[in-house]
């Protein structure tokens, strides 16, 4: 019985300080990486993709050393990965763990889908009211056009 002692999983190294974004829908992992500009960072980033999850079937995880996300970045994560959990690590210990939440209002994150909207022609920051958090629908403050989750273009 040689095979009895074979480990069944590979463990990704722990981070001393930084953030972990867990429970990302598998199809959204690389969108989160791009949206947060993690490909341009000088710090260590570990990405897990299509990992098994009892709750979601398949999930993704992103570990970023020495990085703590600002509220605006967390709001971006919530838009494309509403099931995500944000974990803050300090000295190898979890100091905070919270589910991301879609805010009631979103500013400077999403582009308006209306080509005639003032935000697409002048230096006006976009602003949306979230009118449906389940199916993700955003209404532009300026032109009142509704953007559905399939048409969201993150700035």
């Amino acid at each position: 019985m040689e095979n009895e002692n074979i480990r069944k999983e590979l463990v990704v190294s722990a981070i001393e300080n930084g953030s972990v974004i867990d429970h990302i829908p598998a199809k959204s992992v690389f969108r989160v990486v791009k949206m947060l500009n993690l490909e341009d960072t000088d710090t260590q980033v570990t990405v897990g993709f299509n990992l098994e999850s009892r709750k979601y079937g398949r999930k993704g995880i992103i570990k970023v050393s020495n990085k703590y996300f600002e509220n605006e970045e967390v709001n971006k994560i919530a838009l494309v990965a509403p099931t995500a959990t944000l974990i803050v690590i300090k000295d190898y210990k979890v100091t905070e763990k919270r589910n991301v939440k879609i805010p009631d209002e979103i500013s400077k994150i999403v582009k308006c889908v209306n080509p005639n909207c003032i935000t697409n022609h002048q230096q006006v920051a976009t602003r949306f009211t979230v009118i449906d958090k389940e199916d993700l629908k955003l209404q532009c403050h300026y032109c009142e056009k509704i953007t559905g989750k399939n048409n969201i273009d993150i700035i």
Side-chain angles (χ1 to χ4, degrees), residues 115-126 142:
N116 297 322
C117 183
I118 190 171
T119 62
N120 289 318
H121 296 284
Q122 294 183 23
Q123 293 286 7
V124 177
T126 62
Y142 302 101

Side-chain angles (χ1 to χ4, degrees), residues 69-151:
F69 294 104
E70 301 293 327
N71 280 339
E72 187 175 294
E73 294 169 307
V74 175
N75 289 345
K76 283 182 179 183
I77 295 166
L79 288 177
V80 299
T83 58
T85 303
L86 184 66
I87 303 163
V88 175
I89 310 288
K90 293 184 179 166
D91 294 322
Y92 295 104
K93 292 183 180 76
V94 173
T95 60
E96 182 185 351
K97 185 175 183 176
R98 64 185 161 118
N99 295 327
V100 298
K101 287 187 173 62
I102 296 170
D104 296 328
E105 191 173 281
I106 295 168
S107 299
K108 305 178 202 166
I109 295 176
V110 175
K111 181 178 179 357
C112 184
V113 294
N114 179 358
N116 297 322
C117 183
I118 190 171
T119 62
N120 289 318
H121 296 284
Q122 294 183 23
Q123 293 286 7
V124 177
T126 62
R127 196 164 121 203
F128 294 88
T129 300
V130 178
I131 57 173
D132 186 342
K133 290 186 182 186
E134 281 300 306
D135 199 33
L136 195 55
K137 289 190 174 107
L138 313 176
Q139 184 171 31
C140 180
H141 172 76
Y142 302 101
C143 71
E144 298 185 350
K145 181 84 171 164
I146 294 174
T147 302
K149 68 178 174 187
N150 294 334
N151 294 321

Side-chain angles (χ1 to χ4, degrees), residues 17-63:
N17 295 296
S19 301
V20 177
I21 309 164
D22 198 2
H23 303 109
I24 304 167
K27 64 182 179 3
S28 301
V29 173
F30 293 108
R31 191 168 180 198
V32 172
V33 169
K34 184 172 177 43
M35 185 179 61
L36 297 173
N37 295 318
L38 295 177
E39 67 271 14
D40 294 330
T41 188
D42 292 334
T43 188
Q44 179 178 318
V45 177
T46 304
V47 177
F49 177 66
N50 272 341
L51 304 173
E52 284 186 35
S53 166
R54 283 188 288 267
K55 193 171 184 180
Y56 300 109
R58 296 274 173 202
K59 71 170 186 174
I61 188 170
I62 301 169
K63 292 183 172 192

